[in-house]
Every structure is written in structure tokens, then in C-alpha cells.
């Protein structure tokens, strides 16, 4: 942080001002002039919150993707299929047992197992051959998509939110003042907040696991120099399997989350693959904090875009990607 | 070895083609949205098509009808690809296509490049398809989106007492046409439409759209369909939305009313208008509902046919009846079939249908209200039946043409 300020004082100042403006926009009661210029504060606040919660969903998908890439240099283009598969498992389990939480657990384990099989049966055979692996994952994603279409049909499924999560909750953020001077607080869907908190917890847990545990140390060493790590006697294949399982399991959890506050249907796999590709390109391939930053940026861009420039909302995310590729091709938070 | 193999193939292909000649077939290509946002709509359309075949059979004189189904995803290019594939690869002579609004405009334009073939619209409902520069070989036996909204604006204004409404709709031709019909009538009656929001087809996250809905309106009109509608309702409920709702023709429809989950309950009491009403007492309609229910097991269908099933039923019926009138004669660029289609008067389940000079349906429209059947299933209950709705919605054609074509901002909210 301090190094960044020392090296780029101008950028740091601009960032600081942007953060201050954002905080003011979120916390202050808007003067009437501003409301007239860009609409009501409730709309803006909602868009910001939606952007962040949508970003947390993107983060769940993209973090697994970037983790796998970081360690194995394997661009797993079947990652979207893992997401969709997790969603379907979550739906089946929550309908069968009536438990939403159980859906998450089973989806994580089930998709992680698929990940293990993929790593052992497919990727281990073609280690180090990036192009071949990429082509195989494209093929696999098509096969998976058709298999899931066969089993689950073209219907869209929605995972039932448990009763205690349905409905809005009042947040201590003032959106407007009534003529009597009474403050109107922001009402926001409970389930989205819970999902946001869960994503933050998962993100922190992942950071801790990577930076504070022995396995995490091995993974980090593997990201830096795979061959050297193998030479020190670490069972590198085992580490690969664990990381692949974790990345796939995260995609599975994300599928359940996506099925809860959106819906799952054929086609969602490519949508989320594309989203996670954009997120990791913006954030930096292989970097977990990068995935978090990228996810929030893309989520915010999508939601603010859909409110303020609805016609061009779809373009905005790709515009951001193009800008990042042009100015900082390695991604915003890439390590090298 | 190789040579004998080749000979065998050549021989068998000869045999096959002569067999095909012996029992002459008429090939019909069908497209439906079996992928993407409107998957559920396409699937039910095919069920309606199947129900019609069960009722009417596939024989035309001594010829047999063969139907080939291709999938689209509601985008115009997917429809053209499917239609091309059916014509060029499967050699179909007649098309029963397409399902969705933008697809309809594209297929109509494509129909002009193949004037020798016959195109019967399956279910699409954009106004432009038959209103602007219609193609002489394109026939539409369902009403367009604006016709399907007739009666709703007046009912909302006069009976429900709504004065100000806002609309949310998918950003494409069919919904433009629906909002066109609604705005024309609602504003004509004296109401105000304060805000029109458009979302891309296939939007998943509606949270910001929901937040941007105005508070100071009496009702919100929803012009969404398929997965979009379910996603919207789900998130609307999570956001604690409480406004009165009004629905478009594919919003208040069995495709949504029987979706899994409880989000659909937000639609209870919603008023809507469409080319059909689930609980209509007409014997023809009841017979169709029965035939639909008997044709498929309960878990493979909706409790009652959706608008798409009805449309596919009607268009399949029109085609088969017209083919029988001409005894399957497709000679002279199918001239006789086209003539028969243009003249046919259809006793469809959802009322009598005949075509105008643009080969566009004039039919019956229904204003409905969503009710619970007491067992948790939702149905649209008929409130008002309006017969003989034409494409200019009862306006003088000269006045109607001045309004402009349906778009994001047309028509203006005023009395024309």
C-alpha cells in the first residue's frame, strides 16, 4: 500500500478522492439538485449494493478458476459447467431434503469430486500441454452441457430460499428525508446480504488457508515454481488434486448461490464462464485478491450500467476489459 | 472390398429414394425456442403442436405429413439458421415458424427470398411482421402483441381505477408491440404512463431494475416472459415489493403461473390480457384443454395449455385443414395452398380466427385476472371477452399508421 503511494502519488490521490466521493454518496443525504441530476438515492444505493453482491457471486466462481490457473497453468474452460452442475445438485438436494444449507454442502462435495476425477483422468495425462488442455476443456464443457440438458431438461430451476431469508431488511443507511424530517432507511433483500457475507468469509478463509497453512505454503510455492517444489519432495500431484477439488467445489457452491438469487438453466454455464474470464482478466490471472477486485468492478459496472445507461449496459463490462488489456495487460493486481 | 461397399451404399440409397417416392410425403419444418430464456415456452408450443396432430392426424389425402423440429433461442439469427437448415438440409416444403417476435420479423423477410415456399407463423407476435411490408407467402393465425392487450388499458382505468402506471419490459419487438397496445388504450382512456424501463432479453439480475421502479404509481405493468419473468418475480419478492401488478400475455401465462417455487404468488390478483384465458367456459376451449391434458402426463405439461401451446395448435390446425382443402396439391409453387390459407376461417380453441388482407389474424381477445384454484395452482380467470380484434385495434387505418411503429418510446402517451 505505502509502496503504491510512493510510486504512483497521482494515482493514489485520484483513488483516494474517488473513495471519498463514493463514501459521501453512500452515507450523506443527497441534496435536491443531485437527485434531480442523477435520480433518487435509493436507486443508486440499490445499484451499488447489487453490484457488490453480484460481484460476490462472480468472485465465488472466478476464485476457483483463478486458483486452478495460478497453480496448474490450466485454463479450465469447463469451469462454467461445474458451476451449472453445482446449481442442479443444490436444487435436487434442497427439494429432496428441504434444507438449503445441505444443498451447499452436497454441491461442494459433489462438484469437488468431479474436479478430482477431471484432474486425475484428464489433466494429469496432458500436463504442461496448455493448448491441448484448453481444447479438451472446451470439448468437455460441450459434452457436460448436453448431458445436463438431457437429464434436467431446458427448464429453469430456482432454489427455494429458506423462509428466514425471504424479504427485505432495513439497513442503517438514509436514502431520503420525508417532509416531516423523518429519515427513510434503505430496505434491501436479506438473502443477498447473507450471500455477500458468505463470500467475504470464504474469501478470507481462502486467504488464510493460502498464507497461514502448510498446504497453502506448498500451493504458493507451486504457483511460483512448480518444478522446484516437486524436486523438494512435495507430492505435487496430490497438491494439484486438492486445489482442483477446491476450485471446482467453489464453482459448485456458486451454482447454488446463483440458483438461489437468480435461476439456473442451460446456457448459464457459458455465461458464468465468460463472466469469470472477464473477472480474472481484469483482476489478474492467478491472483485471489485480483479475482475479488475484478468481481466487484464487473458487478458494479453491470448494475450501475443497467440503471444509468441501460442501452449500453452490456458493453460496459467488455469496455473495462479492453481498457485493462490495453493499459495493464497483466491485470490490475497481477503479481508479475 | 471398398468397391463392393460403395456399390452397396449406392444401391441402398437408390432403394431408399424409390421407397420415399412410393409413399409421397409432405415435409413441414417446425421451429420452437428450445434453448435459452424462452425454453419453457418453446417446449409447450411443441406440446400444442402435438395435441393438434393427435386431434387431426397426419394424413392429407393419400399423402403423409412429416414434421421436422428445429431449435432456436429467440434471436433472429438463430431462427434464420434453423429455417435455412430445414429448407436446405431437410428439404421441407412448408415452414411452421417461428415462436418469438424478433424471429418473426427475420423469418418474414427471409420468406421473401423463397417465394415458392409457404410460411405459417407458429406463435410470434411482433406487429411489424405482418404490418410493414408483409410477405405474400407468410400467414399468421395468431394476433399480434398489441391485439393481445386490447381491453386491458380500459379495464385498468375504469374498473381498477389505476391512473398512473409504469412499465418494465424486455427490450425487443414483441414487448414493444404489447406496450404499444397497452399505452394506446390506457392513455386513450385518460391514464398516464410515467416510466418505461427496458431490460435486455435474458437479464438475470433484476435487483437494480426493481429498485428503480417508481413509488408514486398505481400499478406496474410487466412485459416479461420465460426465465426473465420468474427471475424478476423471485427478486421482486425478495426485495419486498408490494405494488399492484399488470401483466403482458406471456407474463400471466401458464409458463409462469406454474413455475416451481413461490415467487409466482406475487402475481395473485394481477390483471392481464391475452389471446386466451385458462378458465374460459367455451366448450371448444374446454375440449382443447382436455385434449392437451390427456396427451401428456401431468409432470410433463402445465395444468392448462399456455398461450404458446394454443398458438401452435391453431397454426398447425390451419395448415392441415388448408392442405386437406387442396388435397395436398403443392404444384405451381404451392399456389392453391396459399389461396386456401388466406381464405380459411378457423374455429380455433380460443375463438374464431380469419385473416385480413395482410394475412394477419383477426380474432378474440381476453382480459383476465389471476386467481388461486384453492390448491395452490394459479390460473387466469376470464373477466371480459372481446371478439373481432383486428390489427389496427379498431382505429381507422390512416390514423393508426400515423402513430408509428412500436418501439421503446412509441406510442406517446396521448389520445390518438
Amino acid at each position: 500500500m505505502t509502496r503504491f503511494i510512493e510510486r504512483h502519488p497521482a494515482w493514489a490521490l485520484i483513488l483516494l478522492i474517488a473513495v471519498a466521493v463514493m463514501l459521501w454518496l453512500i452515507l450523506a443525504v443527497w441534496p435536491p439538485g443531485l437527485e434531480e441530476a442523477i435520480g433518487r438515492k435509493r436507486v443508486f444505493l440499490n445499484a451499488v449494493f447489487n453490484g457488490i453482491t453480484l460481484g460476490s457471486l462472480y468472485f465465488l466462481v472466478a476464485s476457483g478458476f483463478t486458483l486452478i490457473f495460478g497453480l496448474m497453468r490450466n485454463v479450465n474452460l469447463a469451469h462454467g459447467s461445474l458451476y451449472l452442475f453445482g446449481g442442479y445438485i443444490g436444487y435436487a438436494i434442497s427439494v429432496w431434503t428441504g434444507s438449503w444449507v445441505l444443498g451447499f454442502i452436497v454441491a461442494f462435495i459433489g462438484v469437488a469430486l468431479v474436479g478430482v476425477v477431471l484432474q486425475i483422468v484428464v489433466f494429469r495425462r496432458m500436463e504442461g500441454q496448455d493448448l491441448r488442455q484448453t481444447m479438451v476443456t472446451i470439448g468437455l464443457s460441450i459434452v457436460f452441457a448436453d448431458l445436463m440438458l438431457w437429464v434436467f431438461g431446458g427448464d429453469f430451476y430456482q432454489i427455494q430460499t429458506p423462509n428466514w431469508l425471504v424479504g427485505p431488511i432495513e439497513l442503517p443507511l438514509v436514502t431520503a428525508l420525508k417532509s416531516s424530517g423523518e429519515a427513510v432507511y434503505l430496505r434491501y433483500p436479506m438473502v443477498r446480504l447473507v450471500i455477500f457475507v458468505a463470500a467475504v468469509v470464504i474469501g478470507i478463509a481462502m486467504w488464510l488457508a493460502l498464507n497461514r497453512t502448510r498446504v497453502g505454503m506448498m500451493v504458493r510455492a507451486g504457483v511460483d515454481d512448480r518444478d522446484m517444489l516437486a524436486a523438494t519432495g512435495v507430492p505435487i500431484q496430490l497438491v494439484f488434486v486438492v486445489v482442483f477439488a477446491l476450485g471446482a467445489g467453489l464453482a459448485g457452491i456458486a451454482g447454488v448461490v446463483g440458483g438461489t438469487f437468480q435461476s439456473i438453466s442451460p446456457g448459464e454455464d457459458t455465461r458464468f464462464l465468460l463472466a469469470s474470464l472477464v473477472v480474472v482478466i481484469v483482476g489478474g490471472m492467478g491472483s485471489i485478491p485480483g479475482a475479488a477486485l475484478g468481481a466487484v468492478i464487473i458487478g458494479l459496472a453491470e448494475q450501475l450500467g443497467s440503471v444509468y445507461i441501460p442501452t449500453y449496459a452490456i458493453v460496459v463490462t467488455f469496455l473495462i476489459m479492453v481498457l485493462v488489456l490495453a493499459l495493464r495487460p497483466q491485470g490490475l493486481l497481477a503479481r508479475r | 472390398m471398398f468397391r463392393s461397399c460403395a456399390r452397396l451404399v449406392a444401391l441402398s440409397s437408390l432403394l431408399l429414394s424409390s421407397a420415399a417416392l412410393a409413399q409421397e410425403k409432405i415435409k413441414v419444418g417446425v421451429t420452437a425456442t428450445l434453448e435459452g430464456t424462452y425454453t419453457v415456452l418453446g417446449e409447450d408450443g411443441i406440446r400444442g403442436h402435438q395435441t393438434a396432430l393427435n386431434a387431426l392426424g397426419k394424413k392429407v389425402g393419400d399423402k403423409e405429413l412429416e414434421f421436422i423440429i428445429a431449435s432456436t433461442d429467440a434471436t433472429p439469427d438463430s431462427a434464420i439458421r434453423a429455417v435455412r437448415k430445414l429448407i436446405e438440409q431437410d428439404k421441407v416444403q412448408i415452414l411452421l415458424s417461428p415462436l418469438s417476435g424478433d424471429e418473426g420479423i427475420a423469418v418474414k423477410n427471409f420468406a421473401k427470398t423463397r417465394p415458392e415456399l409457404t410460411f405459417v407463423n407458429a406463435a410470434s407476435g411482433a406487429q411489424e411482421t405482418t404490418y410493414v411490408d408483409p410477405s405474400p407467402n407468410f400467414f399468421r393465425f395468431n394476433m399480434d402483441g398489441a391485439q393481445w392487450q386490447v381491453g386491458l388499458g380500459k379495464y385498468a382505468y375504469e374498473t381498477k381505477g389505476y391512473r398512473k402506471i409504469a412499465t418494465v419490459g424486455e427490450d425487443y419487438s414483441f414487448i414493444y408491440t404489447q406496450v404499444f397496445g397497452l399505452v394506446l388504450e390506457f392513455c386513450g382512456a385518460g391514464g398516464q404512463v410515467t416510466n418505461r424501463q427496458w431490460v435486455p432479453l435474458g437479464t438475470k439480475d433484476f435487483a437494480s431494475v426493481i429498485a428503480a421502479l417508481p413509488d408514486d404509481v398505481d400499478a406496474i405493468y410487466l412485459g416479461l416472459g420465460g426465465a426473465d419473468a420468474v427471475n424478476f418475480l423471485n427478486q421482486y419478492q425478495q426485495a419486498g415489493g408490494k405494488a399492484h401488478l399488470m401483466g403482458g400475455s406471456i407474463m400471466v401465462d401458464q409458463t409462469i403461473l406454474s413455475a416451481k417455487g413461490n415467487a409466482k404468488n406475487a402475481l395473485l390478483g394481477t390483471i392481464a390480457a391475452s389471446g386466451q384465458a385458462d378458465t374460459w367456459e367455451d366448450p371448444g376451449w374446454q375440449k382443447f384443454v382436455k385434449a392437451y391434458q390427456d396427451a401428456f402426463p401431468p409432470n410433463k405439461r402445465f395444468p392448462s395449455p399456455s398461450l404458446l401451446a394454443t398458438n401452435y395448435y391453431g397454426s398447425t390446425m390451419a395448415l392441415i385443414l388448408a392442405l386437406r382443402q387442396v388435397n395436398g396439391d403443392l404444384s405451381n409453387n404451392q399456389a392453391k395452398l396459399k389461396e386456401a390459407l388466406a381464405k380459411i376461417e378457423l374455429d380455433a380453441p380460443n375463438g374464431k380466427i380469419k385473416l385480413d388482407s395482410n394475412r394477419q389474424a383477426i380474432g378474440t381477445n381476453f382480459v383476465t385476472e389471476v386467481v388461486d384454484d384453492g390448491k395452490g395452482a394459479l390460473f387466469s380467470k376470464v373477466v371480459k371477452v372481446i371478439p373481432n380484434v383486428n390489427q389496427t385495434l379498431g382505429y381507422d387505418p390512416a390514423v393508426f399508421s400515423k402513430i408509428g411503429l412500436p418501439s421503446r418510446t412509441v406510442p406517446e402517451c396521448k389520445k390518438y
Side-chain angles (χ1 to χ4, degrees), chain A residues 210-286:
Chain A
L210 276 177
N211 289 289
R212 293 282 182 276
T213 66
R214 211 179 137 69
V215 178
M217 196 172 73
M218 285 182 206
V219 172
R220 279 182 298 136
V223 170
D224 284 342
D225 195 327
R226 211 160 44 178
D227 300 333
M228 197 52 89
L229 180 71
T232 58
V234 170
I236 186 116
Q237 289 301 341
L238 191 66
V239 177
F240 283 0
V241 168
V242 168
V243 168
F244 210 109
L246 181 68
L250 280 173
I253 287 188
V256 185
V257 170
T260 304
F261 76 80
Q262 300 182 356
S263 65
I264 41 174
S265 58
E268 288 297 271
D269 47 352
T270 38
R271 195 171 82 92
F272 273 88
L273 174 68
L274 193 64
S276 42
L277 271 174
V278 173
V279 164
V280 297
I281 288 172
V282 169
M285 291 289 263

Side-chain angles (χ1 to χ4, degrees), chain A residues 3-323:
Chain A
R3 253 185 57 209
F4 179 78
I5 296 172
E6 275 163 18
R7 280 170 57 193
H8 308 279
W11 277 112
L13 188 68
I14 290 171
L15 266 181
L16 196 70
I17 291 172
V19 168
V21 168
M22 199 71 184
L23 277 179
W24 181 81
L25 281 174
I26 290 173
L27 294 176
V29 176
W30 288 13
L34 188 62
E35 296 231 327
E36 233 158 71
I38 59 170
R40 286 165 304 157
K41 185 184 172 192
R42 184 170 66 103
V43 175
F44 171 78
L45 266 191
N46 260 292
V48 170
F49 272 70
N50 295 334
I52 294 172
T53 46
L54 182 64
S56 64
L57 173 58
Y58 285 164
F59 169 71
L60 285 179
V61 192
S63 58
F65 186 78
T66 200
L67 197 64
I68 292 172
F69 174 81
L71 182 64
M72 286 169 264
R73 300 272 162 247
N74 169 9
V75 182
N76 177 18
L77 293 182
H79 202 69
S81 315
L82 297 175
Y83 164 87
L84 191 57
F85 185 55
Y88 282 131
I89 295 184
Y91 175 81
I93 294 297
S94 68
V95 166
W96 187 42
T97 64
S99 164
W100 186 59
V101 179
L102 201 62
F104 278 95
I105 298 169
V106 177
F108 179 83
I109 297 172
V111 180
L113 285 178
V114 174
V116 170
V117 172
L118 272 182
Q119 168 63 20
I120 293 178
V121 177
V122 181
F123 297 118
R124 188 180 286 181
R125 289 170 189 276
M126 42 189 83
E127 215 177 295
Q129 306 173 48
D130 298 354
L131 196 59
R132 216 169 136 197
Q133 284 184 339
T134 309
M135 299 306 285
V136 166
T137 54
I138 293 178
L140 281 174
S141 73
I142 295 170
V143 173
F144 286 155
D146 266 10
L147 283 177
M148 284 188 280
L149 186 64
W150 179 42
V151 176
F152 297 97
D155 215 339
F156 39 90
Y157 291 84
Q158 212 141 34
I159 299 169
Q160 240 356 255
T161 322
N163 280 333
W164 53 278
L165 282 178
V166 174
I169 174 178
E170 216 159 74
L171 294 180
L173 289 170
V174 181
T175 56
L177 293 177
K178 283 187 188 163
S179 45
S180 59
E182 195 188 337
V184 183
Y185 291 101
L186 177 71
R187 288 161 62 80
Y188 197 75
M190 177 85 167
V191 63
R192 295 185 77 115
L193 287 179
V194 170
I195 283 163
F196 170 67
V197 172
V200 171
V201 169
I202 289 176
I204 292 175
M206 249 161 68
W207 186 84
L208 285 178
L210 276 177
N211 289 289
R212 293 282 182 276
T213 66
R214 211 179 137 69
V215 178
M217 196 172 73
M218 285 182 206
V219 172
R220 279 182 298 136
V223 170
D224 284 342
D225 195 327
R226 211 160 44 178
D227 300 333
M228 197 52 89
L229 180 71
T232 58
V234 170
I236 186 116
Q237 289 301 341
L238 191 66
V239 177
F240 283 0
V241 168
V242 168
V243 168
F244 210 109
L246 181 68
L250 280 173
I253 287 188
V256 185
V257 170
T260 304
F261 76 80
Q262 300 182 356
S263 65
I264 41 174
S265 58
E268 288 297 271
D269 47 352
T270 38
R271 195 171 82 92
F272 273 88
L273 174 68
L274 193 64
S276 42
L277 271 174
V278 173
V279 164
V280 297
I281 288 172
V282 169
M285 291 289 263
S287 151
I288 299 276
L293 182 70
V296 169
I297 290 178
I298 297 301
L300 279 175
E302 260 183 36
Q303 290 293 323
L304 287 172
S306 76
V307 171
Y308 293 109
I309 37 170
T311 318
Y312 308 105
I314 304 174
V315 187
V316 177
T317 46
F318 292 103
L319 209 62
I320 292 175
M321 188 175 88
V322 168
L323 274 179

Side-chain angles (χ1 to χ4, degrees), chain A residues 91 158 192 261 263 303, chain B residues 205 208 230-231 234-235 260:
Chain A
Y91 175 81
Q158 212 141 34
R192 295 185 77 115
F261 76 80
S263 65
Q303 290 293 323
Chain B
D205 209 319
S208 295
V230 176
N231 278 332
N234 191 16
Q235 291 163 30
K260 300 176 184 75

